[in-house]
Amino acid sequence: MEKIKIALLGLGTVGGGVKAILEEKQDLIQERIYIKNGRKVSLEISKILISHPEKYRAISPVLLTADFQEIMNDENIKVVVEVMGGEEPATNYMLQAMERKKHVVTANKLAIAKSGELLENVATKNRVNFLYEAAVAGTIPIIRTINDSLVANEITEISGIINGTTNYILSKMTHERSPYAEALMNAQELGFAEEDPGSDVKGDDALYKIAILSRLAFGEWPDLDTIDCKGITEITPQQIEDAKKRGKVIKFLARTKKAEGKIIASVSPEEIELHHPLAHVDGAMNAVYLHCDNAGELLFQGAGAGSRPTASAVVSDLFAVIEQI
Ligand SMILES: NC(=O)c1ccc[n+]([C@@H]2O[C@H](COP(=O)([O-])OP(=O)(O)OC[C@H]3O[C@@H](n4cnc5c(N)ncnc54)[C@H](OP(=O)(O)O)[C@@H]3O)[C@@H](O)[C@H]2O)c1
């Protein structure tokens, strides 16, 4: 049995999910690797970077480190899974890892949207993978779909509900007539919203994700400043009721298309008809609606966040990396 050693950067919501899935599904994953590649391979987490070593964790302390260089200096570690979040030091750590010929898997939409071009270039230069299926729409396999399954298509437009927090809040306001503040508080109590929900409700999180989808669909990184971005903080129950009277529903949509050689992307609450494919995507669900020239229209729906759904996408990238090792 070949062993592939992995380091996790972060053991929070997503990192904890990755560790749990790799432990619980080791047999299934080995079987799938064997069916696909004809190789007997096991994936082993050999180091985990954390920032608070003093925190109690039900895990062997030998696995933990607060020193990133310990991971860099271990030549047996072939893959670095960045699930610590934030722009820095995460971006710098990913660049260092790729310079050391380690493959990188990440869920960090902020780092990718801000430094995607640099990260891709460093990956190409060092002939390593830089994969980020979990960064957009959580468990929905949208990145592999665009990159692989739809390779014979020009994608003409993408629209989607790609932030679960805001979809939960708007759904609550729509179906239970809750005011915004109450719906937000409810989302926080249920763990669908962060204590500081700014990045979600002001639209930044969806903006990073639509920037990534724009790059994949249209081949270039958009300038983040050119993406129109309006959050949901000003939406009132009255607006939602007025929309209902017109036979419409307000959804927080991210859109991107290319017109006259330019990427036109936006993030904004919009009124859509009740028969629109995204109109009934409710709660914390995400959905991505693709328009392609050959394949036609495709709609994907699934959990956009959460420990296991996001970790499931991270592990799918690990599966893809194995082919390169
Ligand atoms: N949560 C989701 O559902 C979700 C969904 C999609 C994508 N993502 C993305 O996944 C990433 C991780 O999110 P998360 O929710 O798992 O975060 P989290 O629960 O806050 O966990 C972050 C982990 O990273 C560690 N960490 C943070 N900064 C560090 C530093 N400077 N040095 C060393 N370790 C550091 C923390 O260490 P300590 O444990 O010691 O504090 C913690 O273990 C983010 O990029 C996020 O955008 C998350």
Side-chain angles (χ1 to χ4, degrees):
M1 178 76 71
E2 256 178 277
K3 268 191 191 161
I4 294 182
K5 295 200 180 219
I6 296 164
L8 288 185
L9 310 186
L11 188 64
T13 306
V14 182
V18 172
K19 184 171 177 298
I21 289 180
L22 287 181
E23 284 165 4
E24 290 164 21
K25 302 281 183 197
Q26 188 65 250
D27 289 349
L28 176 74
I29 294 167
Q30 280 173 19
E31 191 183 310
R32 296 256 167 94
I33 294 170
Y34 187 71
I35 291 170
K36 183 142 193 254
N37 301 309
R39 284 163 64 196
K40 292 195 173 169
V41 175
S42 74
L43 298 170
E44 187 186 286
I45 295 174
S46 60
K47 241 351 160 214
I48 303 174
L49 184 77
I50 37 89
S51 60
H52 297 96
E54 71 288 357
K55 211 191 267 182
Y56 171 76
R57 300 168 217 253
I59 180 174
S60 163
V62 180
L63 278 178
L64 300 174
T65 181
D67 177 8
F68 176 66
Q69 291 312 321
E70 209 181 304
I71 292 168
M72 287 303 91
N73 294 333
D74 186 340
E75 288 198 351
N76 292 318
I77 293 174
K78 302 292 182 205
V79 192
V80 168
V81 177
E82 186 279 300
V83 280
M84 54 192 269
E87 190 174 357
E88 291 297 354
T91 306
N92 184 269
Y93 286 177
M94 290 192 276
L95 292 169
Q96 283 192 51
M98 293 192 287
E99 293 287 10
R100 297 281 189 116
K101 315 285 180 211
K102 298 181 195 299
H103 301 275
V104 167
V105 170
T106 180
N108 192 334
K109 57 233 146 191
L110 166 67
I112 304 165
K114 296 242 169 147
S115 306
E117 196 165 358
L118 174 64
L119 288 158
E120 280 179 350
N121 289 343
V122 172
T124 307
K125 184 184 91 185
N126 289 288
R127 295 169 189 257
V128 291
N129 280 160
F130 172 62
L131 299 176
Y132 44 86
E133 185 65 72
V136 181
T139 201
I140 301 174
I142 194 63
I143 292 178
R144 203 152 287 118
T145 298
I146 294 174
N147 282 344
D148 298 348
S149 311
L150 296 175
V151 68
N153 288 266
E154 262 184 48
I155 295 170
T156 48
E157 190 174 350
I158 302 177
S159 51
I161 293 171
I162 51 178
N163 181 274
T165 306
T166 45
N167 198 32
Y168 180 86
I169 293 170
L170 286 183
S171 301
K172 189 110 182 130
M173 291 175 77
T174 303
H175 301 301
E176 296 175 31
R177 300 175 183 225
S178 308
Y180 170 80
E182 188 185 309
L184 169 60
M185 205 191 299
N186 183 254
Q188 284 167 324
E189 279 161 11
L190 293 172
F192 293 138
E194 307 268 333
E195 208 175 304
D196 175 4
S199 169
D200 294 314
V201 297
K202 290 185 192 152
D204 295 344
D205 176 85
L207 182 143
Y208 300 143
K209 292 169 181 170
I210 202 69
I212 296 170
L213 290 178
S214 302
R215 189 277 181 273
L216 297 172
F218 308 123
E220 58 192 88
W221 288 100
D223 180 347
L224 296 183
D225 294 335
T226 64
I227 300 178
D228 278 341
C229 182
K230 192 165 170 240
I232 63 159
T233 51
E234 308 289 311
I235 298 289
T236 62
Q238 191 58 50
Q239 284 171 306
I240 290 179
E241 286 310 306
D242 292 347
K244 272 187 202 166
K245 283 181 199 143
R246 289 190 285 271
K248 293 185 175 182
V249 62
I250 297 182
K251 287 288 180 192
F252 190 44
L253 297 191
R255 293 180 180 274
T256 186
K257 64 180 178 182
K258 204 165 180 181
E260 292 167 8
K262 270 177 59 184
I263 292 173
I264 300 178
S266 64
V267 172
S268 176
E270 285 185 36
E271 276 188 20
I272 54 175
E273 306 281 346
L274 286 177
H275 57 73
H276 189 286
L278 297 172
H280 300 286
V281 176
D282 281 331
M285 279 288 147
N286 277 201
V288 182
Y289 186 36
L290 296 171
H291 299 249
C292 311
D293 59 353
N294 289 316
E297 294 176 6
L298 296 105
L299 179 66
F300 299 84
Q301 181 173 339
S307 180
R308 296 289 178 124
T310 311
S312 159
V314 170
V315 174
S316 81
D317 279 343
L318 287 174
F319 188 82
V321 161
I322 290 165
E323 290 181 35
Q324 310 297 321
I325 295 177

